[in-house]
Amino acid sequence: MNDQAKSISALDRVIHEPARLMIVSLLSGIDQADFLYLLRETGLNKGTLSSHLARLEEAGYLEITKTYRGKIPQTLLQLTASGRNAFTQYRKTLKDAFTE
Amino acid sequence: MFDQLDDYVRRPMHYENIDGIGQLGIGILWMGIAALEALETTVPEGSIWHRRGPVVICLLAFGAIVLFGMWTLKSRITFPRTGYVKYRGLSKPWVGAAIAAVIAVPMTMFTSFLSRHSSSSASLPVAVGSAGFALVYAFATRMEAAWNWVVLVVMVAGPVAISKLPIDRQWGQGPSLGFLGLTFLVSGAITLYLYLHRTRPPDEGAPE
């Protein structure tokens, strides 16, 4: 296996999935966002978005907080330190793989 | 692929100006400052409005009211329609406002210096000031729509044209400042109208 293939195989599979990569990218530059914002920006449907969020939470990359805005339920989403590190590492690995 | 990733990383920053509320805030703030300048030039000598303290307190209170109004509009309109975003570190909106203030103070001092020492007319300091505003506008809107260019041209040319009008000199730079504020206000109102037109009202109580 050459170096490029090794680099690609080392990519974090949790983040590498396109929808989750989109979610993590969007959350990486901000402190937190709500479900509605991600729904609109990603173009995913509620069920699909929820399942990807659950997968990220399971990996310890995402913190999900259920709260209320007035009487309306609000789901706040925030990348954990581990999630941010994983995304930084993912970008580095990807860059290395394509620039070698 | 890297470009696409960067685009997603930067997208929340563009979101801050999606509704034009920031421009409305800047517009109202500058129109208020212009009104204060006009007030200062029209009230008699010895009036409270010629003292630095009350003017600064009034400006701070006005700024706080505008910020509160902007936050209320965001909470009532933007967050329920297209979602809530909390920024971090240097990307927080108030950091942007602080940087704008840090730039604005020396620029105002410079334009005021120019207006005192410019022998020909008041056009030069006004041109410098409006060019600064145009930069802030271009940065905030990223010139995403064609009509933003029209606003930009009006923003640069309008105050200079006003400074050439035979308006009584006692108004100082109030008319130009007011015009700049009005331009931001109109641009913010157009952006807000388009935002409301393009987005759907929220489904009250819809589960997430």
Side-chain angles (χ1 to χ4, degrees):
Chain A
M1 200 189 290
N2 63 24
D3 288 347
Q4 192 176 32
K6 270 184 194 168
S7 294
I8 292 171
S9 67
L11 283 172
D12 187 330
R13 298 297 169 96
V14 176
I15 294 182
H16 192 56
E17 200 285 327
R20 288 197 288 271
L21 181 56
M22 199 157 50
I23 294 166
V24 173
S25 304
L26 285 166
L27 291 174
S28 68
I30 55 176
D31 187 23
Q32 56 181 199
D34 67 0
F35 188 87
L36 183 60
Y37 173 75
L38 284 183
L39 197 66
R40 183 183 156 273
E41 288 289 355
T42 58
L44 300 169
N45 64 43
K46 286 183 181 181
T48 311
L49 179 59
S50 291
S51 71
H52 285 304
L53 294 176
R55 180 73 188 88
L56 287 168
E57 188 185 29
E58 193 184 293
Y61 292 168
L62 189 72
E63 194 182 308
I64 303 178
T65 313
K66 303 268 184 185
T67 178
Y68 282 88
R69 191 189 59 236
K71 288 179 182 173
I72 302 163
Q74 187 182 35
T75 306
L76 293 174
L77 310 148
Q78 183 172 29
L79 278 188
T80 60
S82 152
R84 287 188 194 283
N85 289 339
F87 181 59
T88 308
Q89 188 57 44
Y90 173 86
R91 289 183 79 171
K92 189 178 176 302
T93 310
L94 198 65
K95 202 169 184 180
D96 289 349
F98 287 100
T99 50
E100 271 167 8
Chain B
M1 180 171 187
F2 296 111
D3 289 346
Q4 208 173 350
L5 265 185
D6 285 340
D7 175 53
Y8 277 111
V9 172
R10 285 195 210 107
R11 212 179 270 193
M13 307 304 139
H14 299 220
Y15 183 68
E16 177 59 20
N17 192 49
I18 194 174
D19 47 17
I21 290 173
Q23 293 174 57
L24 284 176
I26 293 176
I28 293 169
L29 200 61
W30 278 102
M31 288 182 80
I33 291 171
L36 264 181
E37 167 122 357
L39 186 73
E40 199 179 335
T41 53
T42 49
V43 294
E45 285 293 322
S47 159
I48 192 170
W49 297 109
H50 281 290
R51 290 185 212 151
R52 193 69 63 193
V55 172
V56 170
I57 290 168
C58 193
L59 271 177
L60 288 176
F62 185 58
I65 292 168
V66 170
L67 278 177
F68 177 74
M70 284 165 65
W71 175 254
T72 308
L73 281 177
K74 286 253 179 207
S75 309
R76 298 269 169 106
I77 298 173
T78 316
F79 300 158
R81 275 181 179 250
T82 48
Y84 164 77
V85 172
K86 184 181 176 191
Y87 296 90
R88 65 199 287 259
L90 287 175
S91 50
K92 281 180 180 168
W94 70 263
V95 176
I99 292 170
V102 167
I103 295 168
V105 168
M107 211 171 81
T108 308
M109 287 166 72
F110 179 62
T111 51
S112 131
F113 170 82
L114 280 181
S115 62
R116 272 194 222 109
H117 294 86
S118 167
S119 53
S120 56
S121 70
S123 301
L124 182 62
V126 169
V128 172
S130 45
F133 269 88
L135 275 176
V136 171
Y137 181 78
F139 180 75
T141 60
R142 289 173 176 83
M143 309 307 285
E144 281 165 347
W147 61 267
N148 288 143
W149 288 99
V150 178
V151 175
L152 193 83
V153 170
V154 171
M155 196 172 272
V156 173
V160 176
I162 288 174
S163 72
K164 295 214 178 277
L165 291 175
I167 299 174
D168 192 341
R169 284 273 169 244
Q170 72 161 346
W171 293 97
Q173 291 186 7
S176 300
L177 281 179
F179 182 83
L180 282 170
L182 186 68
T183 322
F184 265 98
L185 200 69
V186 169
S187 174
I190 294 171
T191 311
L192 181 60
Y193 171 78
L194 293 174
Y195 171 77
L196 292 173
H197 191 67
R198 286 171 187 161
T199 56
R200 280 192 317 139
D203 305 329
E204 290 294 321
E208 287 180 347

